[in-house]
Amino acid sequence: MPSALLMLLLAVFLTGAALGVFLLLLVGIHVEEHRMSLTGTPSSKMTASTRRFLGVTVRHQSHETTRKPAGLKR
């Protein structure tokens, strides 16, 4: 019986941890959307962590990458 109780407590703890991470991600996404700040630097550690966890990066294009190669004519 004690091992069943231990397994139940472990399951409740892991469920709570997963729910906590999910809620932090939701808040981070909401903050980024509200501020429309996805193209700039993160405003807090929470938004930076959300971007890192979700794999969101910002690419800054230079003028050289936006030019067409000389061989293409259209």
Side-chain angles (χ1 to χ4, degrees):
M1 187 68 177
S3 72
L5 181 62
L6 184 64
M7 292 297 281
L8 180 65
L9 288 175
L10 182 63
V12 169
F13 175 76
L14 291 176
T15 302
L19 184 62
V21 169
F22 180 70
L23 288 175
L24 285 175
L25 288 174
L26 282 177
V27 169
I29 291 169
H30 178 74
V31 167
E32 292 278 65
E33 280 291 317
H34 182 69
R35 293 182 182 164
M36 294 184 193
S37 63
L38 195 55
T39 57
T41 58
S43 59
S44 67
K45 287 185 180 182
M46 184 180 65
T47 55
S49 299
T50 300
R51 287 184 188 188
R52 190 176 305 119
F53 186 80
L54 295 176
V56 176
T57 59
V58 178
R59 293 186 201 169
H60 298 286
Q61 293 183 351
S62 67
H63 295 291
E64 293 180 18
T65 60
T66 58
R67 287 190 226 157
K68 292 181 184 177
L72 292 177
K73 294 183 180 180
R74 211 166 189 206

